[in-house]
Amino acid sequence: MAPRWATHGRGGPVTLVVHGLGATEGEARIPASGLPGTRVVVMLPGHGEAPDAPSGYWNYSSIAADVLAVADEVGATRAVGVSMGSGALTRIAAEHPDRFERLALLLPAALDRPRSIAANWSFERLADAVAAGDGAQLRKLVAEDLPPGAELGDYVEQRATALLRLEDALRELPEQAPLADASALSSANSDVLVVGATDDPLHPAEVAKSVAAAFARARLEIFPSPAPMLTHRRELRRLLVDFLA
């Protein structure tokens, strides 16, 4: 099943924006805000209005192939990825080192080894709630990962609803890594911005540091937050606009 995408703005450059696992459509658009030129926001299978993923889809090879196909169709020269989307772009950079001029990798979750046991357990709990059809437990688990005091509106409800389609992804993807060997990134010719967070157990700062170190030309920014896309949205937007302008 092919992903869907929406185009915003016009002219060059063309920047692809790839969301994280379980992102709502509004959440997927956050990194695209204010970017110059044309922004193409991808919705991968099982997300938004994209059809459900077929059995066996949830691996970085399949996701990267879909992302690359959209990038080629729309002529994207730059890309922004969040978490799962960051992993897919990392895979593309290793396999197609000249494909993108610039990459912004936000909250990378893994590089050449799977997530931690604790992170996997968090996803197992979400998957179990989805399998049981336990909406109240799912909303509780989603809320536990969010920073206190953040203005979220109906975000918890929307994200819980989005996760109901993603049991297989929640069980399978956290046990995988985008790459078998991080040294494959040493030949990537992109200028890279890597953004991490100090207090996000699902996206450890150490992973962001490892991703930045694996590229020949990378800048690393670490935000003091458990969820910088919510708590530091203005600063993150400025950072992305400056990097991709």
PDB file of all heavy atoms in Angstrom, residues 125-144:
ATOM      1  N   ARG A 125       3.384  -2.398  25.928  1.00  0.00           N
ATOM      2  CA  ARG A 125       2.202  -2.003  26.701  1.00  0.00           C
ATOM      3  C   ARG A 125       1.180  -1.302  25.809  1.00  0.00           C
ATOM      4  O   ARG A 125      -0.030  -1.545  25.924  1.00  0.00           O
ATOM      5  CB  ARG A 125       2.617  -1.082  27.847  1.00  0.00           C
ATOM      6  CG  ARG A 125       3.466  -1.768  28.912  1.00  0.00           C
ATOM      7  CD  ARG A 125       3.986  -0.754  29.927  1.00  0.00           C
ATOM      8  NE  ARG A 125       2.921  -0.203  30.746  1.00  0.00           N
ATOM      9  CZ  ARG A 125       2.988   0.955  31.388  1.00  0.00           C
ATOM     10  NH1 ARG A 125       4.086   1.705  31.268  1.00  0.00           N
ATOM     11  NH2 ARG A 125       1.988   1.389  32.128  1.00  0.00           N
ATOM     12  N   LEU A 126       1.657  -0.451  24.918  1.00  0.00           N
ATOM     13  CA  LEU A 126       0.740   0.194  23.971  1.00  0.00           C
ATOM     14  C   LEU A 126       0.073  -0.843  23.074  1.00  0.00           C
ATOM     15  O   LEU A 126      -1.145  -0.804  22.850  1.00  0.00           O
ATOM     16  CB  LEU A 126       1.499   1.209  23.120  1.00  0.00           C
ATOM     17  CG  LEU A 126       1.960   2.500  23.803  1.00  0.00           C
ATOM     18  CD1 LEU A 126       2.930   3.257  22.913  1.00  0.00           C
ATOM     19  CD2 LEU A 126       0.765   3.387  24.153  1.00  0.00           C
ATOM     20  N   ALA A 127       0.879  -1.780  22.556  1.00  0.00           N
ATOM     21  CA  ALA A 127       0.335  -2.809  21.667  1.00  0.00           C
ATOM     22  C   ALA A 127      -0.688  -3.677  22.387  1.00  0.00           C
ATOM     23  O   ALA A 127      -1.729  -4.056  21.809  1.00  0.00           O
ATOM     24  CB  ALA A 127       1.464  -3.664  21.108  1.00  0.00           C
ATOM     25  N   ASP A 128      -0.422  -4.010  23.637  1.00  0.00           N
ATOM     26  CA  ASP A 128      -1.368  -4.821  24.408  1.00  0.00           C
ATOM     27  C   ASP A 128      -2.686  -4.078  24.610  1.00  0.00           C
ATOM     28  O   ASP A 128      -3.764  -4.692  24.545  1.00  0.00           O
ATOM     29  CB  ASP A 128      -0.764  -5.194  25.760  1.00  0.00           C
ATOM     30  CG  ASP A 128       0.359  -6.217  25.652  1.00  0.00           C
ATOM     31  OD1 ASP A 128       0.477  -6.847  24.573  1.00  0.00           O
ATOM     32  OD2 ASP A 128       1.098  -6.379  26.628  1.00  0.00           O
ATOM     33  N   ALA A 129      -2.610  -2.773  24.857  1.00  0.00           N
ATOM     34  CA  ALA A 129      -3.833  -1.985  25.015  1.00  0.00           C
ATOM     35  C   ALA A 129      -4.619  -1.929  23.715  1.00  0.00           C
ATOM     36  O   ALA A 129      -5.854  -2.014  23.711  1.00  0.00           O
ATOM     37  CB  ALA A 129      -3.489  -0.574  25.492  1.00  0.00           C
ATOM     38  N   VAL A 130      -3.892  -1.804  22.586  1.00  0.00           N
ATOM     39  CA  VAL A 130      -4.559  -1.817  21.286  1.00  0.00           C
ATOM     40  C   VAL A 130      -5.237  -3.169  21.053  1.00  0.00           C
ATOM     41  O   VAL A 130      -6.402  -3.246  20.634  1.00  0.00           O
ATOM     42  CB  VAL A 130      -3.555  -1.526  20.157  1.00  0.00           C
ATOM     43  CG1 VAL A 130      -4.189  -1.770  18.794  1.00  0.00           C
ATOM     44  CG2 VAL A 130      -3.049  -0.088  20.252  1.00  0.00           C
ATOM     45  N   ALA A 131      -4.519  -4.258  21.326  1.00  0.00           N
ATOM     46  CA  ALA A 131      -5.061  -5.601  21.103  1.00  0.00           C
ATOM     47  C   ALA A 131      -6.306  -5.849  21.953  1.00  0.00           C
ATOM     48  O   ALA A 131      -7.246  -6.525  21.513  1.00  0.00           O
ATOM     49  CB  ALA A 131      -3.992  -6.651  21.408  1.00  0.00           C
ATOM     50  N   ALA A 132      -6.318  -5.276  23.163  1.00  0.00           N
ATOM     51  CA  ALA A 132      -7.459  -5.460  24.060  1.00  0.00           C
ATOM     52  C   ALA A 132      -8.604  -4.491  23.773  1.00  0.00           C
ATOM     53  O   ALA A 132      -9.682  -4.609  24.367  1.00  0.00           O
ATOM     54  CB  ALA A 132      -6.994  -5.293  25.510  1.00  0.00           C
ATOM     55  N   GLY A 133      -8.357  -3.553  22.877  1.00  0.00           N
ATOM     56  CA  GLY A 133      -9.368  -2.538  22.611  1.00  0.00           C
ATOM     57  C   GLY A 133      -9.634  -1.649  23.808  1.00  0.00           C
ATOM     58  O   GLY A 133     -10.732  -1.121  23.979  1.00  0.00           O
ATOM     59  N   ASP A 134      -8.622  -1.461  24.646  1.00  0.00           N
ATOM     60  CA  ASP A 134      -8.762  -0.710  25.896  1.00  0.00           C
ATOM     61  C   ASP A 134      -8.394   0.752  25.668  1.00  0.00           C
ATOM     62  O   ASP A 134      -7.249   1.169  25.859  1.00  0.00           O
ATOM     63  CB  ASP A 134      -7.859  -1.339  26.959  1.00  0.00           C
ATOM     64  CG  ASP A 134      -8.113  -0.795  28.352  1.00  0.00           C
ATOM     65  OD1 ASP A 134      -8.715   0.299  28.455  1.00  0.00           O
ATOM     66  OD2 ASP A 134      -7.699  -1.440  29.333  1.00  0.00           O
ATOM     67  N   GLY A 135      -9.378   1.531  25.244  1.00  0.00           N
ATOM     68  CA  GLY A 135      -9.126   2.931  24.934  1.00  0.00           C
ATOM     69  C   GLY A 135      -8.666   3.737  26.127  1.00  0.00           C
ATOM     70  O   GLY A 135      -7.802   4.602  26.013  1.00  0.00           O
ATOM     71  N   ALA A 136      -9.231   3.450  27.301  1.00  0.00           N
ATOM     72  CA  ALA A 136      -8.856   4.193  28.493  1.00  0.00           C
ATOM     73  C   ALA A 136      -7.388   3.945  28.854  1.00  0.00           C
ATOM     74  O   ALA A 136      -6.645   4.880  29.186  1.00  0.00           O
ATOM     75  CB  ALA A 136      -9.759   3.801  29.658  1.00  0.00           C
ATOM     76  N   GLN A 137      -6.952   2.695  28.786  1.00  0.00           N
ATOM     77  CA  GLN A 137      -5.557   2.387  29.074  1.00  0.00           C
ATOM     78  C   GLN A 137      -4.628   2.998  28.034  1.00  0.00           C
ATOM     79  O   GLN A 137      -3.543   3.504  28.361  1.00  0.00           O
ATOM     80  CB  GLN A 137      -5.361   0.868  29.122  1.00  0.00           C
ATOM     81  CG  GLN A 137      -3.927   0.390  29.267  1.00  0.00           C
ATOM     82  CD  GLN A 137      -3.298   0.718  30.617  1.00  0.00           C
ATOM     83  OE1 GLN A 137      -3.932   1.357  31.459  1.00  0.00           O
ATOM     84  NE2 GLN A 137      -2.062   0.292  30.807  1.00  0.00           N
ATOM     85  N   LEU A 138      -5.051   2.988  26.785  1.00  0.00           N
ATOM     86  CA  LEU A 138      -4.238   3.562  25.718  1.00  0.00           C
ATOM     87  C   LEU A 138      -4.057   5.057  25.929  1.00  0.00           C
ATOM     88  O   LEU A 138      -2.946   5.588  25.816  1.00  0.00           O
ATOM     89  CB  LEU A 138      -4.902   3.280  24.370  1.00  0.00           C
ATOM     90  CG  LEU A 138      -4.076   3.482  23.108  1.00  0.00           C
ATOM     91  CD1 LEU A 138      -2.787   2.679  23.158  1.00  0.00           C
ATOM     92  CD2 LEU A 138      -4.893   3.090  21.880  1.00  0.00           C
ATOM     93  N   ARG A 139      -5.135   5.751  26.268  1.00  0.00           N
ATOM     94  CA  ARG A 139      -5.033   7.187  26.531  1.00  0.00           C
ATOM     95  C   ARG A 139      -4.147   7.456  27.741  1.00  0.00           C
ATOM     96  O   ARG A 139      -3.366   8.416  27.754  1.00  0.00           O
ATOM     97  CB  ARG A 139      -6.429   7.782  26.741  1.00  0.00           C
ATOM     98  CG  ARG A 139      -7.271   7.833  25.469  1.00  0.00           C
ATOM     99  CD  ARG A 139      -8.539   8.625  25.664  1.00  0.00           C
ATOM    100  NE  ARG A 139      -9.464   7.964  26.574  1.00  0.00           N
ATOM    101  CZ  ARG A 139     -10.354   7.043  26.194  1.00  0.00           C
ATOM    102  NH1 ARG A 139     -10.435   6.671  24.928  1.00  0.00           N
ATOM    103  NH2 ARG A 139     -11.175   6.511  27.079  1.00  0.00           N
ATOM    104  N   LYS A 140      -4.245   6.608  28.751  1.00  0.00           N
ATOM    105  CA  LYS A 140      -3.406   6.761  29.945  1.00  0.00           C
ATOM    106  C   LYS A 140      -1.930   6.618  29.596  1.00  0.00           C
ATOM    107  O   LYS A 140      -1.094   7.411  30.036  1.00  0.00           O
ATOM    108  CB  LYS A 140      -3.805   5.717  30.992  1.00  0.00           C
ATOM    109  CG  LYS A 140      -2.953   5.709  32.254  1.00  0.00           C
ATOM    110  CD  LYS A 140      -3.497   4.687  33.239  1.00  0.00           C
ATOM    111  CE  LYS A 140      -2.640   4.613  34.510  1.00  0.00           C
ATOM    112  NZ  LYS A 140      -1.323   4.019  34.231  1.00  0.00           N
ATOM    113  N   LEU A 141      -1.600   5.616  28.792  1.00  0.00           N
ATOM    114  CA  LEU A 141      -0.210   5.386  28.410  1.00  0.00           C
ATOM    115  C   LEU A 141       0.326   6.518  27.545  1.00  0.00           C
ATOM    116  O   LEU A 141       1.481   6.946  27.704  1.00  0.00           O
ATOM    117  CB  LEU A 141      -0.088   4.057  27.668  1.00  0.00           C
ATOM    118  CG  LEU A 141      -0.359   2.799  28.504  1.00  0.00           C
ATOM    119  CD1 LEU A 141      -0.410   1.570  27.608  1.00  0.00           C
ATOM    120  CD2 LEU A 141       0.698   2.632  29.581  1.00  0.00           C
ATOM    121  N   VAL A 142      -0.492   7.021  26.632  1.00  0.00           N
ATOM    122  CA  VAL A 142      -0.069   8.153  25.798  1.00  0.00           C
ATOM    123  C   VAL A 142       0.199   9.373  26.676  1.00  0.00           C
ATOM    124  O   VAL A 142       1.215  10.061  26.519  1.00  0.00           O
ATOM    125  CB  VAL A 142      -1.144   8.470  24.736  1.00  0.00           C
ATOM    126  CG1 VAL A 142      -0.840   9.804  24.041  1.00  0.00           C
ATOM    127  CG2 VAL A 142      -1.218   7.358  23.702  1.00  0.00           C
ATOM    128  N   ALA A 143      -0.692   9.650  27.616  1.00  0.00           N
ATOM    129  CA  ALA A 143      -0.553  10.828  28.470  1.00  0.00           C
ATOM    130  C   ALA A 143       0.687  10.734  29.348  1.00  0.00           C
ATOM    131  O   ALA A 143       1.320  11.763  29.646  1.00  0.00           O
ATOM    132  CB  ALA A 143      -1.803  10.991  29.333  1.00  0.00           C
ATOM    133  N   GLU A 144       1.064   9.521  29.760  1.00  0.00           N
ATOM    134  CA  GLU A 144       2.229   9.356  30.639  1.00  0.00           C
ATOM    135  C   GLU A 144       3.523   9.809  29.977  1.00  0.00           C
ATOM    136  O   GLU A 144       4.472  10.197  30.666  1.00  0.00           O
ATOM    137  CB  GLU A 144       2.360   7.887  31.053  1.00  0.00           C
ATOM    138  CG  GLU A 144       1.340   7.444  32.100  1.00  0.00           C
ATOM    139  CD  GLU A 144       1.467   5.967  32.413  1.00  0.00           C
ATOM    140  OE1 GLU A 144       2.281   5.279  31.752  1.00  0.00           O
ATOM    141  OE2 GLU A 144       0.747   5.488  33.307  1.00  0.00           O
TER     142      GLU A 144
END
